[in-house]
Amino acid sequence: VGRSQYDAISNLVDLQREGGIPLQEQLLAFFRDSIGKGWLRAGSRLPSSRRLAERLGISRTTVVEAYDRLACEGYVESRPRAGVFVAPRLHGGSRPFPGKAAAGGRRVHHGAAMRTLPDRGPSFASEHDLPLAPGIPAIDRFPWNVWSQLSVKLCRTAASRLVSWGDPRGELPLREAIAEYLGVTRGIGCSPEQIIVASGSQPLVETFTRAIAHAGDRVWFEEPGDPASRGVLRAMGLETVPVPVDDKGIDVEAGRLAAANARFAIVAPSHHYPLGFSMSLTRRKALLDWAEQHEAWIVENEIDADYRFVPGERPTLHSLDTAGRVIYLGSFNKALGPGLRIGYAVLPERLLGALRLTAQTVSVANQLLLARFWSSGHLAAHLRELREVHARRRAVLLAALRTDAGALLDTAPLPEAGLRLPVTLPPEVSDLEVASACPAAGIKVGRPFSSCYLSGRGACGMTIGFASTPEEQIGPAVAKLAAVIRASEAVPRRLLA
Amino acid sequence: VGRSQYDAISNLVDLQREGGIPLQEQLLAFFRDSIGKGWLRAGSRLPSSRRLAERLGISRTTVVEAYDRLACEGYVESRPRAGVFVAPRLHGGSRPFPGKAAAGGRRVHHGAAMRTLPDRGPSFASEHDLPLAPGIPAIDRFPWNVWSQLSVKLCRTAASRLVSWGDPRGELPLREAIAEYLGVTRGIGCSPEQIIVASGSQPLVETFTRAIAHAGDRVWFEEPGDPASRGVLRAMGLETVPVPVDDKGIDVEAGRLAAANARFAIVAPSHHYPLGFSMSLTRRKALLDWAEQHEAWIVENEIDADYRFVPGERPTLHSLDTAGRVIYLGSFNKALGPGLRIGYAVLPERLLGALRLTAQTVSVANQLLLARFWSSGHLAAHLRELREVHARRRAVLLAALRTDAGALLDTAPLPEAGLRLPVTLPPEVSDLEVASACPAAGIKVGRPFSSCYLSGRGACGMTIGFASTPEEQIGPAVAKLAAVIRASEAVPRRLLA
């Protein structure tokens, strides 16, 4: 390495003495970046710490410590009496060191920023962390201590199994835990063999849909319903037939008239998305009758059914099903948090042979951790706590909506279950406009109802979340929501009185 | 609760005094099961500890402690001066307590068994833990201490972000880490914005395929190639056109003749599956020319390219691509272990707008953990260690194959990269028979070559893994493999001499 490259390095290091990032961190970021991008070739010698410190006008200790840290991180190797060299690349290859001009135009990665996660600015997904974001449980109550302790124990005991290939269906201890969980929380009896685990409802729906339907088949889809879920089915080549939903759930007779020979129906009987209705027992039986008669399937989507706020429980379609036509879809997203990415499906035994399972989508370690979280009683305790937390937050939200926004929206009818309250707006108001204006006001609401109809016409409103918002933040958030609605261009004058 | 139920409980508890499961654990398992399945209704009183201990002929302390643990786990509540009661169900509902006959016929879950994971019998997936299983890195060297410490730190600092909704593309710190990782290990320059993260190659392939192709489109698929990967494309309605592979990689001219207007080609240039060839520079350029000319795409599948065993590196298609037609597919399965379930794709910028991303498939916590594992230098250090471990194991395998099985199989040509060695068998031998007989002999080999041809005809052999098998186990495992081949019905007599 000639003197010219020494100079190049010294010239390229553009230390900022203001801005609060320590000089050593800036130096580290420069070298990580230069080595990572191949500008500093494997085997090339770094400037001596003395020379670089002189050139940059900084303390030599700062450079020495930075070199030590780079060695510790594997970027460089220190050879006694020879100097500090860029470590052999994991692979060969290199790229030319760019001229000063090229480097000057490039935003330099600050490794330090990369490592202090909580300091990052708002991310793509951060809207979900705003007050009133629907469908997220009280993740502020997540039992990190227990979770972390169980994780450490698991790392100690299960060792290489945790990173080896797992069972494509899901790890057996987790499937056993889910079977027990469904018994305790939903009164559902099933064997672990009927359960498949995946990282969310999309891979689950894709997996069983491939077993029960072909491109071109028709599917009953709730109108209104979740457009994201409809998109998954349509991307698989299925024709989603909109079947109207009223306060008793999906209109089975309308479905029969529209597409009696549909391959399956996908419904959310405990807590319809987005309107929140619960399917009546009569409708449940009618739907099961249709499925049995036409050898069709029913997908019972209960991913937002972990929490009920009304005494008594309606029997699940799964428990009423005597013909083995129901696929039950569940998730731990609402029990623990959507970032966990663990869902499951309970399949009729006759379907098991038809599944084409490839690789599992949930890490083995997370599966076994959740299984232990259940089997050691912590999940039940957590759900018990959240049931109370959610009920309190729900009551606070209801009161705030009625007090501060009662003239602008309507909260009735209240859903029996789920982590969101549907509210309707006056028909003159654009729910799309209101929902999209919320994040700028510092709140987040659910998808506008108008976007949930295939026909594009229907109720006007949205769902409001209560579960992830601490009680003291709910009132101010509702005041913001009311302000957003009032600021809406289309809001009728009578409401501004 | 009447006396009859007390008696029923006492009669149903079927304690086994032999078999080594502590009586208290058995009692706990019984109550968890009975409460979980709804046989013991919410609110019903458990027998007093004194009475139950008497009836069962066990120490009262055993019962008291079991009740305490049930209370701690949330199954029961202890009310002072009233007794111990089954806790309110998370939901309402209950089911009848079965008669003794019914319960007798039911296999009782032993909660204890569920919680001691390492004691479980062989699982569905355990074949992958056998010696010679291909494509798995040295997971026995996984740095559990560091991983577990970073995990604990992460739980402390990032809190509820870890279970909230993440970025559908993947957490930014991980995408930044991957961009840097690709720079260090492959000399690939890309921005975090071009990267999407998912739990494996299947969800990644599905995601970008939806953006670049439609059902009915044709795709160049290596012949031979991975049937699982072909299955994913075919399930999406694509027509996979087999394009022959020779020792220089995919035959681009043959591809042009068969389907010049294919929508994309999916290739593994560093390490062809299963034959192990590396694509020549000429072929790489020819493939890129075809893609540019026809506005087609190239999927560069490099999920088994983290380790190279030959000096020098061929440039990736991604780095040769000037037209922005290459989608690079990578994974941490080979760097850390397949059970981690973290893969990624690097997309041309022009494709970013066309992606329909729904929910992320990797947990937020695992993503941030891996990002820290990289940014704190541990991943580079781990790869450095594994490079040496793998090189040693590869050499031991090669020597053993030549010494103990040289007459039965052929190891040349050696792949430049990857965690599997292809071996060919004499054409008279059924590779299918040999591969399927291996697990019974206590070893596991890769998919038989004959199953990798769409035409069903081609090379006879399979891949042998070396990376996950400790050196001392390799020799005995190869001896077992030789015995399996010798025992094969179709093996020619000349080889048995």
Side-chain angles (χ1 to χ4, degrees):
Chain A
V1 179
R3 166 142 323 218
S4 62
Q5 182 159 353
Y6 280 19
D7 291 346
I9 290 177
S10 319
N11 289 338
L12 280 168
V13 180
D14 184 19
L15 296 180
Q16 303 293 330
R17 274 143 222 278
E18 285 157 25
I21 301 175
L23 295 174
Q24 192 181 107
E25 293 292 336
Q26 294 183 49
L27 206 55
L28 277 168
F30 169 80
F31 279 111
R32 286 197 200 106
D33 203 43
S34 304
I35 296 169
K37 294 206 165 58
W39 302 333
L40 278 173
R41 282 207 311 276
S44 57
R45 188 149 69 102
L46 298 195
S48 76
S49 55
R50 189 182 51 77
R51 181 187 296 267
L52 187 60
E54 270 171 19
R55 290 292 304 243
L56 298 174
I58 60 177
S59 135
R60 190 175 166 194
T61 315
T62 304
V63 180
V64 169
E65 284 181 5
Y67 282 6
D68 282 352
R69 285 175 63 185
L70 287 170
C72 182
E73 293 174 6
Y75 283 95
V76 302
E77 290 175 356
S78 183
R79 298 183 202 149
R81 283 179 301 277
V84 175
F85 296 82
V86 176
R89 300 280 301 269
L90 296 168
H91 286 188
S94 70
R95 273 173 299 164
F97 204 98
K100 189 170 181 175
R106 183 179 280 272
R107 194 178 68 85
V108 169
H109 263 303
H110 284 292
M114 189 183 300
R115 286 184 293 164
T116 52
L117 304 174
D119 298 338
R120 299 205 70 84
S123 83
F124 186 84
S126 64
E127 284 185 7
H128 291 286
D129 299 330
L130 294 174
L132 307 188
I136 304 172
I139 51 177
D140 52 320
R141 301 298 184 99
F142 190 86
W144 283 112
N145 278 344
V146 167
W147 189 260
S148 162
Q149 281 162 20
L150 287 176
S151 170
V152 169
K153 275 188 204 163
L154 191 68
C155 286
R156 274 198 213 115
T157 57
S160 62
R161 175 178 174 189
L162 301 181
V163 283
S164 185
W165 279 107
D167 189 325
R169 298 170 295 182
E171 295 303 293
L172 183 58
L174 178 59
R175 289 184 287 117
E176 287 177 336
I178 292 169
E180 212 180 309
Y181 171 84
L182 287 173
V184 173
T185 64
R186 307 301 314 274
I188 284 178
C190 64
S191 80
E193 283 66 39
Q194 290 174 262
I195 294 173
I196 56 171
V197 171
S199 67
S201 45
Q202 179 171 346
L204 289 165
V205 167
E206 287 172 344
T207 298
F208 63 67
T209 296
R210 278 189 207 106
I212 62 176
H214 295 93
D217 281 348
R218 296 197 288 175
V219 177
W220 289 9
F221 198 85
E222 291 169 324
E223 170 83 346
D226 181 1
S229 167
R230 187 194 288 127
V232 171
L233 298 171
R234 289 163 73 122
M236 298 185 76
L238 300 175
E239 185 193 336
T240 53
V241 177
V243 178
V245 168
D246 61 26
D247 62 356
K248 295 182 179 59
I250 196 167
D251 184 339
V252 178
E253 283 312 305
R256 280 181 183 263
L257 288 173
N261 64 347
R263 203 72 203 88
F264 65 90
I266 181 163
V267 293
S270 280
H271 182 230
H272 170 260
Y273 182 98
L275 300 179
F277 299 126
S278 181
M279 199 186 293
S280 73
L281 190 59
T282 313
R283 286 275 176 84
R284 287 174 197 238
K285 287 182 175 160
L287 186 61
L288 287 161
D289 285 347
W290 164 75
E292 187 170 356
Q293 190 184 338
H294 290 270
E295 295 185 342
W297 305 91
I298 300 169
V299 180
E300 182 174 29
N301 178 353
E302 294 282 275
I303 62 172
D304 193 11
D306 289 299
Y307 302 95
R308 290 186 60 76
F309 301 96
V310 173
E313 183 176 25
R314 300 180 196 239
T316 57
L317 287 165
H318 187 278
S319 58
L320 293 170
D321 175 29
T322 53
R325 313 294 319 179
V326 173
I327 297 165
Y328 182 97
L329 198 58
S331 167
F332 290 97
N333 285 356
K334 301 292 191 288
L336 292 163
L340 192 68
R341 313 307 307 145
I342 304 187
Y344 54 88
V346 184
L347 302 162
E349 282 178 8
R350 67 168 84 175
L351 264 186
L352 300 178
L355 291 181
R356 194 181 61 82
L357 290 168
T358 49
Q360 175 53 238
T361 47
V362 182
S363 77
V364 173
N366 281 9
Q367 291 184 61
L368 296 181
L369 188 51
L370 178 55
R372 288 187 173 201
F373 192 71
W374 166 258
S375 65
S376 54
H378 295 296
L379 180 58
H382 182 59
L383 282 170
R384 216 171 285 280
E385 184 194 343
L386 287 205
R387 190 172 47 162
E388 286 170 22
V389 170
H390 290 164
R392 283 199 303 272
R393 292 179 179 182
R394 185 173 181 265
V396 171
L397 175 65
L398 258 178
L401 286 172
R402 284 169 181 164
T403 312
D404 299 333
L408 298 163
L409 48 79
D410 188 1
T411 56
L414 290 178
E416 297 177 0
L419 297 184
R420 41 176 96 222
L421 292 183
V423 300
T424 53
L425 294 171
E428 303 91 336
V429 174
S430 160
D431 52 6
L432 207 69
E433 186 193 330
V434 169
S436 59
C438 280
I443 54 175
K444 163 85 181 167
V445 297
R447 200 188 285 277
F449 290 165
S450 61
S451 72
C452 297
Y453 289 84
L454 193 62
S455 66
R457 285 164 305 155
C460 174
M462 69 262 303
T463 57
I464 314 279
F466 51 83
S468 66
T469 313
E471 284 172 52
E472 67 279 9
Q473 294 179 25
I474 291 176
V478 168
K480 287 176 187 169
L481 175 62
V484 169
I485 299 173
R486 281 198 195 92
S488 161
E489 280 188 27
V491 71
R493 289 214 179 150
R494 63 183 157 85
L495 299 181
L496 297 174
Chain B
V1 180
R3 168 143 321 217
S4 61
Q5 183 159 353
Y6 280 19
D7 291 345
I9 291 177
S10 319
N11 289 339
L12 281 168
V13 180
D14 184 19
L15 298 179
Q16 304 293 330
R17 273 145 223 275
E18 286 156 24
I21 302 174
L23 295 174
Q24 193 181 107
E25 293 293 336
Q26 295 184 48
L27 205 56
L28 277 168
F30 169 80
F31 279 112
R32 288 197 198 105
D33 202 44
S34 305
I35 296 169
K37 294 207 164 58
W39 300 335
L40 278 172
R41 282 207 311 276
S44 58
R45 188 149 71 103
L46 298 196
S48 76
S49 54
R50 188 182 52 77
R51 181 186 297 266
L52 187 60
E54 270 172 19
R55 290 293 301 245
L56 298 175
I58 59 177
S59 135
R60 190 176 165 192
T61 315
T62 304
V63 180
V64 169
E65 286 181 5
Y67 281 7
D68 283 351
R69 286 176 64 185
L70 288 170
C72 183
E73 294 173 6
Y75 284 94
V76 302
E77 290 175 357
S78 183
R79 296 182 203 151
R81 282 182 301 278
V84 175
F85 296 81
V86 175
R89 299 281 300 270
L90 298 167
H91 287 187
S94 69
R95 274 173 297 165
F97 204 97
K100 189 172 183 177
R106 184 180 279 273
R107 196 178 67 85
V108 169
H109 263 304
H110 284 292
M114 188 182 301
R115 285 185 292 166
T116 51
L117 304 174
D119 299 338
R120 300 205 69 84
S123 84
F124 187 83
S126 63
E127 282 184 10
H128 292 287
D129 299 331
L130 294 175
L132 307 188
I136 304 172
I139 51 177
D140 52 319
R141 301 297 183 99
F142 190 86
W144 284 112
N145 278 343
V146 168
W147 189 260
S148 161
Q149 280 162 21
L150 287 176
S151 170
V152 169
K153 276 187 202 162
L154 191 69
C155 286
R156 273 198 214 116
T157 57
S160 62
R161 175 178 173 189
L162 301 182
V163 284
S164 185
W165 278 107
D167 189 324
R169 297 170 296 181
E171 296 302 294
L172 183 57
L174 178 60
R175 289 185 288 116
E176 286 176 336
I178 292 169
E180 213 181 309
Y181 171 85
L182 287 174
V184 173
T185 63
R186 307 303 314 274
I188 285 178
C190 64
S191 80
E193 284 65 39
Q194 291 174 261
I195 294 173
I196 56 170
V197 171
S199 66
S201 46
Q202 179 171 346
L204 289 165
V205 168
E206 288 172 344
T207 298
F208 63 66
T209 297
R210 278 189 207 107
I212 61 175
H214 295 95
D217 282 348
R218 296 196 289 174
V219 177
W220 289 9
F221 198 85
E222 290 169 324
E223 170 83 345
D226 182 1
S229 167
R230 187 193 288 127
V232 171
L233 298 172
R234 289 164 72 120
M236 297 184 78
L238 300 175
E239 184 194 336
T240 53
V241 178
V243 178
V245 168
D246 60 27
D247 61 356
K248 295 182 179 58
I250 196 166
D251 184 339
V252 178
E253 283 312 306
R256 281 180 184 264
L257 288 173
N261 64 347
R263 204 73 204 86
F264 66 89
I266 180 163
V267 293
S270 280
H271 183 230
H272 170 260
Y273 182 96
L275 300 179
F277 299 126
S278 182
M279 199 186 294
S280 73
L281 190 59
T282 314
R283 286 275 176 83
R284 285 173 199 239
K285 286 180 174 160
L287 187 61
L288 287 160
D289 285 345
W290 164 76
E292 187 169 357
Q293 190 185 338
H294 290 271
E295 295 185 342
W297 305 91
I298 299 169
V299 179
E300 182 174 30
N301 178 354
E302 293 282 276
I303 62 172
D304 193 10
D306 289 299
Y307 302 94
R308 288 186 61 77
F309 302 95
V310 173
E313 184 176 26
R314 302 180 195 236
T316 56
L317 288 165
H318 188 278
S319 58
L320 293 170
D321 175 30
T322 54
R325 314 292 323 176
V326 173
I327 297 165
Y328 181 97
L329 198 58
S331 167
F332 290 97
N333 285 356
K334 301 292 191 288
L336 291 163
L340 192 68
R341 313 307 307 143
I342 305 187
Y344 54 88
V346 183
L347 302 162
E349 283 177 7
R350 68 169 82 173
L351 263 186
L352 300 177
L355 291 181
R356 194 180 61 82
L357 291 168
T358 50
Q360 175 53 237
T361 47
V362 182
S363 79
V364 173
N366 281 9
Q367 290 183 63
L368 297 181
L369 188 51
L370 177 55
R372 288 186 172 203
F373 192 70
W374 166 257
S375 65
S376 55
H378 295 295
L379 180 58
H382 182 60
L383 281 171
R384 218 171 283 279
E385 184 196 342
L386 287 205
R387 191 172 44 162
E388 286 169 21
V389 170
H390 290 165
R392 282 200 303 273
R393 292 180 179 181
R394 185 172 182 266
V396 171
L397 176 64
L398 258 178
L401 286 172
R402 285 169 180 161
T403 312
D404 299 335
L408 298 164
L409 48 80
D410 188 2
T411 56
L414 290 178
E416 297 178 2
L419 297 184
R420 42 176 94 223
L421 291 183
V423 299
T424 53
L425 294 172
E428 303 90 337
V429 175
S430 160
D431 54 5
L432 208 70
E433 186 193 331
V434 169
S436 58
C438 280
I443 54 175
K444 163 86 181 166
V445 296
R447 199 188 287 276
F449 290 165
S450 61
S451 72
C452 297
Y453 289 83
L454 192 61
S455 66
R457 285 164 305 154
C460 174
M462 68 262 303
T463 58
I464 314 279
F466 51 83
S468 66
T469 313
E471 285 171 53
E472 69 278 9
Q473 293 179 26
I474 291 177
V478 168
K480 285 177 188 169
L481 174 62
V484 169
I485 299 173
R486 283 200 192 92
S488 161
E489 278 187 30
V491 70
R493 290 216 178 149
R494 63 184 157 84
L495 300 180
L496 297 174

